[in-house]
Amino acid sequence: MNKTDLIEQSYLRSDIPEFRPGDTVRVHVRVVEGSRERVQVFQGVVIARQHGGLRETFTVRKISFGVGVERTFPMHSPSIAKLEVVSRGHVRRAKLYYLRELRGKKARIRERRIDDAKLAAMEEAARAAAVEPVGADEPEGADEPIVADEPDGAPSEAAAEPADGEPAEADEAEPADEEKAEA
């Protein structure tokens, strides 16, 4: 790590959500007009992210009254009040400058879909990693599945089923059914 990185580290923002080129974001920008300050929202598609560290910037493009408008924001600037990710886009490039020539439906970006369960699992894993140190004490046998027996002592049907999900008796019964059908 450089000496400048150590100095810049205190100025980096930690409240910016994770986003990539192709994502649609809503940037809340502080605008100062005379003695008054207000927040203006700029919503569009992220077409580029440049540099890194304290000098990192991102470019957002939107269509306003039929005219393409692009704005480049410094990532860690105090002029950004809030940044929200509206939707996530599925693209295969880091720089989406080709969108400048496209109009209408051709300029659409497919949505990158993450199901709610996977998103919740990712957030939970991130929280657990931040809170709990790696290699914490775990009780013995925590990874082993618990198989419950029926009250009369016989194993349950779920325990008798093979891994493919079909009952064991069905495999034996199929040849007998086929012989009856042929006769």
Side-chain angles (χ1 to χ4, degrees):
M1 188 174 261
N2 295 340
K3 292 178 184 177
T4 55
D5 291 342
L6 291 172
I7 295 168
E8 291 175 354
Q9 203 164 25
S10 63
Y11 296 104
L12 297 177
R13 292 179 63 162
S14 60
D15 61 337
I16 303 290
E18 189 66 34
F19 66 96
R20 306 191 311 197
D23 294 352
T24 302
V25 294
R26 186 177 296 138
V27 184
H28 298 259
V29 185
R30 288 188 184 99
V31 178
V32 178
E33 296 171 337
S35 62
R36 296 184 338 165
E37 181 180 297
R38 64 183 178 87
V39 175
Q40 186 177 31
V41 178
F42 190 89
Q43 181 174 334
V45 177
V46 177
I47 62 170
R49 282 181 75 165
Q50 296 93 358
H51 314 298
L54 194 60
R55 291 170 231 36
E56 185 172 2
T57 61
F58 61 99
T59 304
V60 180
R61 177 179 175 81
K62 74 173 185 175
I63 306 297
S64 179
F65 298 102
V67 178
V69 179
E70 292 183 4
R71 234 177 128 176
T72 301
F73 299 99
M75 179 79 73
H76 302 285
S77 171
S79 65
I80 296 178
K82 186 167 68 167
L83 192 134
E84 302 174 52
V85 178
V86 177
S87 66
R88 303 190 180 277
H90 179 75
V91 294
R92 297 172 60 179
R93 299 179 184 276
K95 306 287 193 260
L96 306 179
Y97 298 139
Y98 66 90
L99 290 176
R100 293 172 176 162
E101 284 80 39
L102 300 180
R103 300 286 178 261
K105 289 185 178 181
K106 291 184 179 182
R108 284 185 303 187
I109 295 176
R110 288 185 313 185
E111 187 172 354
R112 184 179 58 189
R113 300 210 177 243
I114 299 176
D115 59 343
D116 294 333
K118 187 174 180 180
L119 185 63
M122 288 171 32
E123 290 174 355
E124 184 65 32
R127 269 192 241 115
V131 173
E132 186 175 308
V134 178
D137 296 330
E138 294 182 12
E140 288 293 321
D143 296 335
E144 298 174 13
I146 299 172
V147 178
D149 291 339
E150 291 292 320
D152 61 348
S156 65
E157 292 180 20
E161 290 182 4
D164 63 352
E166 295 184 23
E169 296 84 17
D171 294 335
E172 298 170 11
E174 287 181 42
D177 292 337
E178 291 176 5
E179 291 173 10
K180 289 179 185 176
E182 290 176 7

